[in-house]
Amino acid sequence: METTREQVLDYLSEVKDPEIPVLDVVEMGIVRDARLDGDTVHVDITPTYSGCPAMKAIEEEIVRTLHAKGFEKVVVHTVFREAWTTDWMTGEAKRKLEKYGIAPPPKTDAALRPALPFAGQPKPVRCPFCGSEDTERTSEFGSTACKSLHFCRACRQPFEHFKCI
Amino acid sequence: MFDGRASGRPTSDTDMTTATLDPELRPALFDYLLRLGDDALVLGHRLSEWCGHGPYLEEDIALTNLALDCVGQANGLLGLAAEVEGAGRDADDLAFRRDALDFRNALIVELPKGDFGFTVARQLLFSAYAHLLYEALRESAFEPLAGIAAKAFKEARYHLRHSSEWLIRLGDGTDESRQRAQTALDDLWMYTGELFEKDDTLRTLVDAGLAPDPRALEAPWRERVEAVVSQATLTLPEDDFMLTGGRSGRHTEHLGHLLAEMQFLPRAYPDAVW
């Protein structure tokens, strides 16, 4: 049976983000495309952040996974054609994030923070534990490039937020 | 799944890739990519020096996050530079096997990290410039550069916000923080002119639609910096003598010391892997 692009993408949904293991690289929008050319599979990926240290691990995991599915030749291309945005994450991915305890990113058109701080403040982030919007930002930078640190005044819990970009 | 809102520039038939690049543009483009890549690499290294030395944990993490973005941008830019050069070198060769004379970064990024006020003031001056530069570079006719710029532009946005928030806090803070922030701005000012210089490399690339005219960035840059400095209740330094030279390899003594540390491992253990 001939392998289709959809099947390759389906296989790639087994590759998880090493920093956020509940999400796979397809639903995060990191995998941009897959093509079959003879016996070679080409996979296009795009980095979430320029310096994301997980990209190398993701690339290796893609190759390992497709090898295990019987593809001998796998070429992973890093593409920059369009810059990754959190808007590419599927709704399902955002629901999984919240369930995992990370406040998901809202749509960028409504929530992207301005470059200069006095140009306005965004809405508070909803606490993934109790749902309250009575939260404050502790730091714009967290344990990974994609997350910020917040504190919920209602349930007194610190939590992480996947930043809008 | 793949039809999300594009945040880069749509490609057109006239766009150049490394393969279709006019050979006459190669030397200038290589030089320009080294400038961009070296700015990011050297600034990233300076920021990384705060790792374990930040004023408190969250800020330590913030500065190392910024460092990571810069080094990531440098990796992309120097990788592209190596491709354009076509001499078989890669990003690591360019980062770790060139000496100070061959670096093309602006002098402002190589100055020692100084106190926290100095680091914040430099971040403000540089990220206000980088934000405008990458915004314009998204329109570069050289497609691979436009792609890297679209990504870096998003990062420059929060780099600028981070340093603006801090400069306002320091300037409008205690007497000590205010004095240190003002001293930092005064000391850094003579290094800002270099960012907007237009030489032969830039003339070639501007004419070919590959790079924006740096002179066109100066007025909007000044406007942004002025807005933040005034919110911080600080004084914008007066224009006086501007020190330049980094773009042609004439650096301060600080770059050599930085490279000695940054390049030690790959030079002592060539081709080491882990």
Side-chain angles (χ1 to χ4, degrees):
Chain A
M1 192 185 75
E2 209 181 324
T3 315
T4 64
R5 175 175 165 276
E6 279 64 35
Q7 267 174 304
V8 174
L9 292 174
D10 193 43
Y11 294 148
L12 290 176
S13 68
E14 290 176 24
V15 178
K16 306 298 175 193
D17 182 319
E19 300 282 1
I20 310 163
V22 286
L23 296 186
D24 69 64
V25 293
V26 179
E27 64 190 348
M28 279 195 75
I30 290 173
V31 172
R32 302 309 303 150
D33 203 2
R35 293 177 305 284
L36 287 150
D37 180 17
D39 57 351
T40 307
V41 192
H42 296 269
V43 180
D44 289 347
I45 59 171
T46 198
T48 52
Y49 285 77
S50 297
C52 179
M55 292 312 292
K56 188 73 190 160
I58 288 171
E59 192 179 323
E60 285 166 5
E61 192 58 20
I62 285 174
V63 173
R64 203 192 58 79
T65 302
L66 292 179
H67 277 169
K69 299 291 178 190
F71 298 98
E72 281 185 20
K73 293 181 194 160
V74 181
V75 184
V76 180
H77 308 267
T78 300
V79 297
F80 286 94
R81 228 167 2 249
E82 295 167 327
W84 185 82
T85 162
T86 40
D87 290 345
W88 289 347
M89 289 171 92
T90 62
E92 179 59 20
K94 291 183 182 180
R95 276 186 291 278
K96 284 191 210 169
L97 261 185
E98 187 159 31
K99 216 172 147 209
Y100 187 62
I102 298 173
K107 281 279 180 195
T108 49
D109 51 10
L112 202 59
R113 304 184 63 221
L116 294 177
F118 37 85
Q121 289 296 328
K123 274 177 36 174
V125 177
R126 203 167 80 102
C127 172
F129 302 119
C130 74
S132 169
E133 289 199 349
D134 185 17
T135 65
E136 61 186 354
R137 188 181 58 144
T138 320
S139 174
E140 189 167 351
F141 300 89
S143 57
T144 66
C146 52
K147 285 175 279 175
S148 52
L149 301 172
H150 298 256
F151 183 75
C152 175
R153 285 186 284 250
C155 70
R156 315 294 298 166
Q157 286 291 320
F159 66 91
E160 288 187 305
H161 165 50
F162 202 109
K163 283 184 275 192
C164 233
I165 191 169
Chain B
M1 180 188 313
F2 299 112
D3 55 3
R5 187 169 64 90
S7 41
R9 167 180 180 276
T11 53
S12 77
D13 293 343
T14 54
D15 279 348
M16 283 172 247
T17 62
T18 312
T20 61
L21 182 68
D22 177 352
E24 288 192 0
L25 292 174
R26 270 178 199 264
L29 184 57
F30 175 62
D31 187 32
Y32 186 61
L33 289 167
L34 285 184
R35 296 177 185 191
L36 299 175
D38 290 347
D39 277 354
L41 181 66
V42 173
L43 184 62
H45 187 86
R46 283 298 184 214
L47 286 165
S48 78
E49 292 173 343
W50 281 100
C51 185
H53 300 273
Y56 59 96
L57 185 58
E58 283 80 2
E59 193 47 37
D60 197 292
I61 293 169
L63 290 168
T64 39
N65 261 273
L66 302 183
L68 192 61
D69 286 340
C70 289
V71 175
Q73 292 163 8
N75 189 38
L77 291 162
L78 293 178
L80 188 55
E83 216 179 285
V84 167
E85 184 193 27
R89 295 201 275 185
D90 64 13
D92 282 347
D93 292 328
L94 292 177
F96 300 124
R97 295 184 186 183
R98 275 182 305 148
D99 217 335
L101 286 171
D102 298 319
F103 270 71
R104 292 291 176 265
N105 59 279
L107 301 176
I108 192 169
V109 296
E110 73 197 37
L111 302 173
K113 76 182 199 303
D115 60 15
F116 184 63
F118 187 87
T119 284
V120 163
R122 168 167 52 199
Q123 283 305 111
L124 172 75
L125 297 173
F126 188 81
S127 29
Y129 155 78
H131 189 246
L132 287 162
L133 174 67
Y134 285 125
E135 182 176 33
L137 270 175
R138 296 183 304 170
E139 308 296 327
S140 171
F142 186 53
E143 192 204 317
L145 177 56
I148 292 176
K151 172 111 269 167
F153 169 64
K154 291 180 170 214
E155 292 161 354
R157 181 188 185 94
Y158 60 76
H159 289 206
L160 175 57
R161 183 167 63 235
H162 171 264
S163 53
S164 304
E165 284 174 353
W166 267 116
L167 194 79
I168 293 167
R169 208 172 305 171
L170 295 178
D172 200 13
T174 65
D175 287 345
E176 176 79 11
S177 70
R178 175 188 176 73
Q179 177 257 314
R180 287 193 188 213
Q182 185 64 57
T183 303
L185 278 179
D186 294 345
D187 289 349
L188 280 158
W189 198 251
M190 72 166 173
Y191 297 96
T192 57
E194 187 173 30
L195 300 173
F196 308 102
E197 272 183 345
K198 190 173 176 184
D199 61 0
D200 284 344
T201 289
L202 272 156
R203 267 186 285 277
T204 304
L205 298 180
V206 171
D207 288 348
L210 268 61
D213 190 328
R215 287 182 188 153
L217 304 177
E218 190 165 7
W221 171 82
R222 182 183 278 270
E223 196 181 314
R224 279 153 176 235
V225 169
E226 225 162 7
V228 177
V229 167
S230 112
Q231 281 275 323
T233 70
L234 295 168
T235 310
L236 202 69
E238 303 242 337
D239 281 341
D240 197 356
F241 170 72
M242 289 288 175
L243 189 64
T244 70
R247 301 304 190 197
S248 54
R250 288 173 291 128
H251 292 279
T252 67
E253 67 169 300
H254 307 297
L255 183 64
H257 294 280
L258 180 148
L259 295 183
E261 182 170 315
M262 186 182 81
Q263 298 180 333
F264 167 76
L265 192 123
R267 286 198 189 265
Y269 303 94
D271 304 315
V273 288
W274 63 64

